[in-house]
Amino acid sequence: MAVLNLPARFVLFRSNFKDVHWVTKRVHCRYYNSDATLDHVSRGLERYKDLQTYFKRHLKATYSRFRNVADHSAVCGRRHVYFMEGNSIFRMENRKSESEPEQVLDLGCVTAGAETQEWSVQRIRLSPQEKHLAATLKTHNAETIRCVVAKLGQRSVLTLDNVFTFEWATDEVLFYTTQENVKCQTVYRLDLTQNGHTIHPVYEESEPDVFVEVSLSRDRNTLSITCSSRNSSEVLLVDVSDPRLEPTLVQARQPELLYHVEHWRRNLIILANTGPGQEYQVIKAPLSEPSMVSWSPVFTPSLGTVLKDMDVVGDHCVLVAMTTTEFELELIIVPLFQPREAYTLQLPSWACVIESERPGLADQRGTLEFLLSSPVRPQVSYRLYPEEGLLSSGTGDGPTAFRKNQENYITARLKACSQDGTTVPVTLFYGMKLMKNTPLLVHVYGAYGQDVNMQFCPKKRFLLEQGWALAYCHIRGGGERGLAWHRQARIEGKHRGVEDLQACLSHLFSSGVYSPSRTVLTACSAGAVPVGALCNRRPDMMRAVVLQSPFLDVLGTMEDPELPLTLEDREEWGDPVGNPEHRLTISSYCPVCNITPQRYPSMLLSAYTDDDRTPLAGVLKYAEKLKEAAQIHFNTAATSDPEPNIVVSIQPGANHIGSDDWESMLEEEALQLAFLYKEMDLEPPRTSWRRKRK
């Protein structure tokens, strides 16, 4: 959700309607003692080496097929379009498509002697009259984050370190937050003057579990300072017409109150969880009296629909909603002058992720441009005209290579019944020709109220084309079915996520097409908890497991208050130190705590030495205990089953989201494919060679 942007044990991408980019700061990893330890746990990777090289070639070809997918990273100013090319930012005049690009920023000038090819532009912001440009840069392993502020048309450049979010209030005033040890708690104001610049502290958060960020309203009239914890939020507003005034508080934080603010005609349009069942509804309040006493409901969704995000476009409130019965995305458009005339627009049934494109300074305010995608379908651009109620596709229906074959793939919405009778959604992708024992790759997350990652991934598309089926289990603990879906699997309710995952697998197996012997489970970060717990309870339900940045030692981590995220994460997992019941609950499902000698599936664990969200110590501890238990079972049980392969791939110099380096990313994805095919005893895809005519 746009309301909560906390640094959870959450990996890869966020599927938010707002533009949010996650970064992490390098923290020295103190959890292992020598390279010998890493070499020991990484033994066994060599058996996948040949296949890894083979799949790397196939992945390069797959990525190449989608290289023509539209690049949406360009930024439109009043007079120019800005874009990244190589190690520089360039601009071209809007009305002169054939004009020569002008270089406005050379990364080599601001990287302080670092290898320029290791840096990339993360985000760009233009000042209102296009006098200044600010951009954040990061290295491929994201160990350093740097913000550069450049005066356009001149060569003067200012650098700021550890910047997380940043927005221009005026052409001379930039607000930004800084991040230290995955915490973001301070807001600064940069004032640019003819004689140089000054920096002033604007806000400093005192609570250790509160995360702070800045954002600009779509109409660019107010700047929000949003302070969020796991269960509450608080917003302060800055009037951009006089940004040096003290920020105004909207509503003081209260336990379990979450809200997000947009500006509209001297009013605030607020997305707040004050609706039935503490779900989100739309509220309005005058800017002059923004507190809860002045809040009046504008729109409350009907039963069976939950609001996921909000934007204000012209005189309309545009809501992203999810139907909890059919489990499909839709847009609800609320005319703010006549909210009773709200209407709904259905999105394509295949759509799994919606992302808005941040409007440029010159863009029309009366339309909303956004992107739709799925794990196997690249981004497709759409434009909404809320005044007319029209929705149009801007680029047809995706790349030509995809359009030609898209009818061969099916997106199915399934419903599994969990142990307590709760219906759990499953999204399934498969080819037209289903065969018995089709290999199945099952994805899961289920924590922090975050949806499982369903953005387009060429590797997933490759597997689909090779005859795999892909399942995404939307278990409780995630946010797919609203805030209550998350609350049901927090702290004492964590077992529900494990039960949901088991029910999803049972439902998939009941079709007769899929079977445990052809099933692989995969998860990232906190998604490893329900997967690891199910491996302990029902290892017979899967053949292999692939985990990336896995959070596996829940009890050990939550007992250590010195770790970066322990204190705020107790809202999610509980406090085993101060609450004996929480300790018993965590101990009942914690993957590390419940390992026992039995037939475990083969497992690939990918970890990173600079990961400060899921400590490497927990991954190594889990791997050693699992290997020992599997070995005991193999040596003592009268079974003809082969011993499972449990291997750890540790990448040095990368953090929780892995490396951004192209070759390193391909190596990791190729290893995962090699592991899947080797452990499933599958023949790798054969390359069809065509003889060229001379």
Side-chain angles (χ1 to χ4, degrees):
M1 292 297 302
V3 175
L4 286 176
N5 291 330
L6 293 167
R9 301 178 204 281
F10 166 72
V11 73
L12 297 187
F13 303 112
R14 297 174 62 84
S15 55
N16 284 359
F17 204 39
K18 304 293 179 188
D19 93 331
V20 178
H21 300 251
W22 283 104
V23 295
T24 56
K25 179 179 180 294
R26 181 178 179 177
V27 177
H28 178 69
C29 186
R30 62 182 186 276
Y31 305 113
Y32 61 92
N33 298 319
S34 67
D35 291 338
T37 302
L38 301 186
D39 291 340
H40 173 66
V41 298
S42 297
R43 288 174 186 168
L45 289 175
E46 62 276 359
R47 72 192 306 266
Y48 309 105
K49 205 66 181 175
D50 290 342
L51 269 181
Q52 182 181 13
T53 302
Y54 173 85
F55 277 115
K56 185 176 179 180
R57 293 197 301 269
H58 277 271
L59 282 173
K60 279 189 174 180
T62 302
Y63 275 93
S64 178
R65 288 166 51 204
F66 295 100
R67 67 182 181 273
N68 293 326
V69 174
D71 179 10
H72 302 280
S73 61
V75 176
C76 294
R78 294 182 182 277
R79 295 177 297 277
H80 299 85
V81 176
Y82 296 76
F83 59 94
M84 181 72 185
E85 185 76 30
N87 295 314
S88 300
I89 296 176
F90 293 86
R91 69 178 180 181
M92 295 177 62
E93 291 188 41
N94 281 332
R95 299 181 180 180
K96 297 180 180 180
S97 59
E98 297 181 358
S99 62
E100 286 294 320
E102 173 193 358
Q103 185 188 55
V104 296
L105 182 63
D106 179 7
L107 272 61
C109 298
V110 294
T111 52
E115 295 286 338
T116 55
Q117 65 268 22
E118 294 181 355
W119 290 76
S120 61
V121 174
Q122 184 190 26
R123 192 160 42 171
I124 297 174
R125 292 289 185 263
L126 293 171
S127 66
Q129 297 300 320
E130 210 172 324
K131 292 182 179 180
H132 293 94
L133 175 146
T136 46
L137 315 176
K138 66 174 181 174
T139 56
H140 284 315
N141 58 11
E143 66 181 55
T144 303
I145 303 297
R146 182 169 295 165
C147 180
V148 295
V149 181
K151 188 171 184 179
L152 296 172
Q154 300 183 15
R155 292 294 180 182
S156 58
V157 175
L158 170 68
T159 63
L160 306 166
D161 287 331
N162 304 325
V163 171
F164 181 70
T165 55
F166 59 104
E167 296 287 356
W168 290 100
T170 69
D171 277 299
E172 287 75 33
V173 178
L174 178 76
F175 284 79
Y176 65 95
T177 61
T178 57
Q179 180 172 285
E180 297 287 342
N181 297 337
V182 302
K183 293 181 183 294
C184 194
Q185 298 186 306
T186 308
V187 181
Y188 294 97
R189 189 186 74 236
L190 171 68
D191 293 341
L192 300 175
T193 64
Q194 292 183 346
N195 299 322
H197 70 275
T198 57
I199 296 176
H200 306 274
V202 175
Y203 178 83
E204 184 170 3
E205 179 57 52
S206 59
E207 296 296 328
D209 62 337
V210 174
F211 195 84
V212 180
E213 60 183 335
V214 296
S215 60
L216 194 62
S217 63
R218 186 180 178 88
D219 63 8
R220 300 178 182 271
N221 286 322
T222 62
L223 183 140
S224 297
I225 300 173
T226 303
C227 313
S228 302
S229 70
R230 298 282 185 227
N231 68 353
S232 68
S233 57
E234 178 178 274
V235 177
L236 297 93
L237 294 180
V238 176
D239 186 346
V240 299
S241 65
D242 196 351
R244 293 172 179 83
L245 292 176
E246 286 292 316
T248 301
L249 177 65
V250 175
Q251 169 60 46
R253 68 192 65 162
Q254 296 180 9
E256 304 300 329
L257 173 64
L258 304 171
Y259 70 97
H260 172 74
V261 173
E262 274 289 343
H263 178 266
W264 174 70
R265 295 180 179 271
R266 306 300 296 172
N267 288 281
L268 298 180
I269 304 301
I270 304 169
L271 185 67
N273 67 329
T274 52
Q278 288 186 282
E279 294 291 347
Y280 284 109
Q281 63 176 167
V282 180
I283 303 293
K284 185 173 77 170
L287 184 61
S288 57
E289 299 178 12
S291 65
M292 280 188 75
V293 295
S294 302
W295 288 10
S296 60
V298 172
F299 176 81
T300 301
S302 59
L303 186 65
T305 301
V306 294
L307 303 183
K308 304 286 289 180
D309 216 329
M310 176 189 77
D311 212 335
V312 174
V313 182
D315 292 324
H316 295 77
C317 179
V318 180
L319 301 164
V320 178
M322 175 70 75
T323 59
T324 58
T325 51
E326 299 303 319
F327 199 64
E328 292 185 348
L329 286 171
E330 62 184 20
L331 294 181
I332 300 175
I333 294 86
V334 182
L336 291 172
F337 282 121
Q338 297 174 305
R340 291 187 178 181
E341 297 184 7
Y343 62 92
T344 300
L345 291 177
Q346 293 298 133
L347 296 176
S349 59
W350 55 262
C352 298
V353 176
I354 179 169
E355 302 167 275
S356 71
E357 298 186 70
R358 178 182 172 85
L361 296 175
D363 290 351
Q364 293 180 332
R365 297 295 181 263
T367 63
L368 176 69
E369 293 187 0
F370 60 94
L371 306 170
L372 295 180
S373 64
S374 81
V376 298
R377 195 179 186 111
Q379 292 176 325
V380 179
S381 177
Y382 280 81
R383 175 170 289 183
L384 170 68
Y385 301 86
E387 192 73 39
E388 295 84 7
L390 297 177
L391 184 64
S392 65
S393 173
T395 57
D397 212 8
T400 303
F402 185 83
R403 291 201 304 268
K404 186 166 59 175
N405 295 318
Q406 65 185 17
E407 65 273 8
N408 295 327
Y409 306 108
I410 294 175
T411 302
R413 312 284 182 173
L414 310 180
K415 300 175 183 178
C417 184
S418 194
Q419 183 174 312
D420 61 0
T422 299
T423 299
V424 183
V426 180
T427 305
L428 182 66
F429 304 92
Y430 60 93
M432 294 291 289
K433 297 180 181 179
L434 273 179
M435 300 176 63
K436 191 173 183 179
N437 285 331
T438 294
L440 175 67
L441 184 62
V442 179
H443 305 72
V444 65
Y445 187 68
Y448 300 108
Q450 302 290 342
D451 298 1
V452 63
N453 176 29
M454 297 188 72
Q455 292 201 345
F456 174 67
C457 175
K459 182 185 73 173
K460 305 298 173 57
R461 175 64 189 277
F462 172 80
L463 285 172
L464 190 68
E465 292 173 345
Q466 298 307 317
W468 286 70
L470 309 176
Y472 289 77
C473 302
H474 307 287
I475 66 174
R476 280 175 284 185
E480 288 90 339
R481 297 187 68 180
L483 299 178
W485 199 245
H486 173 221
R487 288 194 296 267
Q488 289 180 52
R490 282 172 54 187
I491 310 179
E492 293 94 341
K494 278 296 175 186
H495 66 279
R496 295 192 178 103
V498 187
E499 293 167 358
D500 290 354
L501 177 57
Q502 182 174 335
C504 291
L505 292 177
S506 297
H507 184 74
L508 289 165
F509 298 155
S510 68
S511 67
V513 176
Y514 313 108
S515 66
S517 64
R518 291 283 187 172
T519 297
V520 180
L521 265 60
T522 185
C524 299
S525 197
V529 175
V531 173
L534 188 63
C535 285
N536 289 327
R537 297 183 186 186
R538 291 292 307 274
D540 60 309
M541 297 192 78
M542 75 273 322
R543 176 77 170 268
V545 171
V546 176
L547 300 177
Q548 185 177 354
S549 304
F551 183 40
L552 295 161
D553 186 12
V554 183
L555 183 61
T557 302
M558 301 313 298
E559 286 180 327
D560 188 351
E562 298 300 318
L563 296 177
L565 294 176
T566 296
L567 294 180
E568 51 263 50
D569 269 3
R570 286 176 176 171
E571 292 288 341
E572 179 73 19
W573 308 98
D575 179 8
V577 177
N579 191 317
E581 292 185 4
H582 289 182
R583 183 181 184 84
L584 287 174
T585 300
I586 295 173
S587 299
S588 69
Y589 66 79
C590 175
V592 167
C593 297
N594 293 280
I595 294 174
T596 184
Q598 58 180 324
R599 173 67 171 90
Y600 277 98
S602 292
M603 196 171 297
L604 172 62
L605 308 171
S606 297
Y608 312 106
T609 56
D610 287 354
D611 189 346
D612 46 3
R613 301 189 186 198
T614 55
L616 182 59
V619 181
L620 303 184
K621 179 180 177 181
Y622 178 82
E624 289 295 334
K625 289 188 68 174
L626 196 65
K627 287 182 178 181
E628 182 181 353
Q631 184 68 50
I632 292 173
H633 173 73
F634 182 74
N635 292 336
T636 58
T639 177
S640 59
D641 292 334
E643 184 177 2
N645 294 297
I646 299 164
V647 292
V648 183
S649 173
I650 298 178
Q651 187 172 324
N655 63 18
H656 192 64
I657 60 175
S659 175
D660 286 339
D661 177 69
W662 168 248
E663 290 295 325
S664 298
M665 184 270 291
L666 278 181
E667 288 279 351
E668 185 168 5
E669 290 194 349
L671 173 61
Q672 293 170 357
L673 291 178
F675 176 83
L676 292 180
Y677 274 77
K678 192 79 170 178
E679 298 306 323
M680 298 280 281
D681 292 326
L682 296 174
E683 286 291 328
R686 297 185 180 276
T687 304
S688 58
W689 297 95
R690 293 183 179 179
R691 182 176 296 177
K692 295 182 180 180
R693 294 183 179 180
K694 294 183 180 180

